[in-house]
């Protein structure tokens, strides 16, 4: 367990990546401690995203240059235990809010390996994580809290069906929301 920790720690040495995913700098030792804590915390679910194996029908073409199983990023779901209280105090649009009794998961995605971006990896990984969150964790609402300066991430989450539910001017963030019932519509568009 935790074989991915040195790679994630290396990625998060990059100030910009760390800022985009709202992470704090950690030593490798602290990263291992955090991973151990998360492994026993039902409100935190972290998925390591790996490259797929590429297959070729041309046997003479030689081995693929892609490294199957190479770590390329992460998708996290953080369950918001306080959401029932917050949701009842705010006037969310019913199409965004869903049914009473929210179980909300905040979704964070990072494709850290630059050469792996814009290849559909994040889309596939996030859709799988959302389905896991809905089917296994019983979540009925997902949110993405994105820095206003991260236009690529804002476009990405909009393309998955997430819609604006809050602007946080103090932190220059946009909060988007998605009901799992819309996931099947997004997957069928692929």
């Amino acid at each position: 367990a935790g074989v991915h920790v040195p790679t994630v720690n290396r990625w998060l040495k990059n100030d910009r990546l760390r800022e985009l995913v709202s992470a704090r700098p950690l030593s490798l030792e602290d990263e291992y401690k955090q991973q151990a804590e998360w492994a026993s915390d039902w409100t935190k679910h972290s998925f390591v995203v790996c490259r797929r194996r590429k297959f070729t029908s041309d046997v003479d073409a030689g081995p693929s240059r892609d490294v199957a199983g190479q770590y390329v990023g992460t998708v996290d779901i953080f369950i918001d235990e306080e959401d029932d209280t917050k949701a009842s105090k705010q006037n969310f649009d019913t199409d965004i809010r869903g049914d009473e009794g929210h179980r909300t998961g905040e979704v964070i995605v990072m494709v850290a390996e630059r050469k792996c971006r814009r290849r559909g990896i994040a889309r596939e990984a996030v859709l799988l994580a959302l389905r896991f969150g809905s089917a296994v964790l019983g979540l009925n609402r997902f949110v993405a809290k994105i820095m206003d300066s991260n236009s690529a991430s804002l476009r990405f989450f909009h393309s998955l069906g997430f819609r604006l539910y809050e602007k946080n001017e103090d932190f220059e963030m946009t909060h988007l929301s998605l009901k799992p019932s819309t996931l099947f519509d997004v997957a069928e568009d692929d």
Side-chain angles (χ1 to χ4, degrees):
V3 295
H4 65 283
V5 172
T7 303
V8 173
N9 185 259
R10 178 179 50 82
W11 291 334
L12 293 177
K13 298 276 187 234
N14 179 306
D15 292 336
R16 180 67 176 149
L17 274 179
R18 199 173 54 250
E19 176 186 1
L20 290 172
V21 296
S22 302
R24 55 192 165 95
L26 296 175
S27 67
L28 183 57
E29 181 182 339
D30 288 339
E31 195 86 51
Y32 273 109
K33 286 179 187 174
Q34 177 177 280
Q35 190 269 337
E37 289 169 10
W38 286 19
S40 62
D41 184 341
W42 73 273
T43 67
K44 295 178 176 73
H45 300 271
S46 190
F47 305 91
V48 177
V49 179
C50 299
R51 276 190 175 178
R52 282 184 175 205
R53 179 181 309 272
K54 284 192 175 180
F55 296 98
T56 178
S57 59
D58 185 359
V59 178
D60 297 326
S64 170
R65 299 266 183 234
D66 242 359
V67 180
Q70 175 190 11
Y71 304 141
V72 299
T74 60
V75 176
D76 299 316
I77 298 176
F78 301 123
I79 297 174
D80 185 351
E81 297 178 86
E82 310 260 329
D83 189 57
D84 279 332
T85 307
K86 287 190 292 191
S88 64
K89 291 181 182 174
Q90 294 188 19
N91 185 20
F92 293 127
D93 181 297
T94 14
D95 286 342
I96 297 292
R97 187 185 58 188
D99 300 326
E100 293 302 318
H102 299 289
R103 285 218 48 199
T104 298
E106 180 182 351
V107 181
I108 300 170
V109 61
M110 170 181 68
V111 176
E113 297 296 334
R114 188 176 294 272
K115 63 185 174 233
C116 296
R117 294 180 189 156
R118 304 195 54 80
R119 294 181 175 209
I121 293 171
R123 182 179 184 83
E124 182 175 3
V126 168
L127 286 172
L128 286 169
L130 295 175
R131 287 192 172 135
F132 174 85
S134 178
V136 176
L137 303 175
L139 301 176
N140 59 12
R141 180 171 175 253
F142 295 97
V143 297
K145 299 176 181 178
I146 304 165
M147 294 176 51
D148 291 339
S149 62
N150 191 349
S151 58
S153 193
L154 288 167
R155 282 191 309 273
F156 170 73
F157 278 97
H158 276 291
S159 78
L160 294 176
F162 280 74
R163 296 296 173 250
L164 175 71
Y165 83 88
E166 183 178 60
K167 289 284 283 179
N168 187 322
E169 302 298 336
D170 294 334
F171 292 100
E172 299 178 347
M173 295 191 82
T174 298
H175 297 186
L176 304 173
S177 179
L178 174 79
K179 291 191 312 182
S181 60
T182 62
L183 287 178
F184 299 107
D185 298 335
V186 172
E188 289 172 5
D189 291 342
D190 290 345

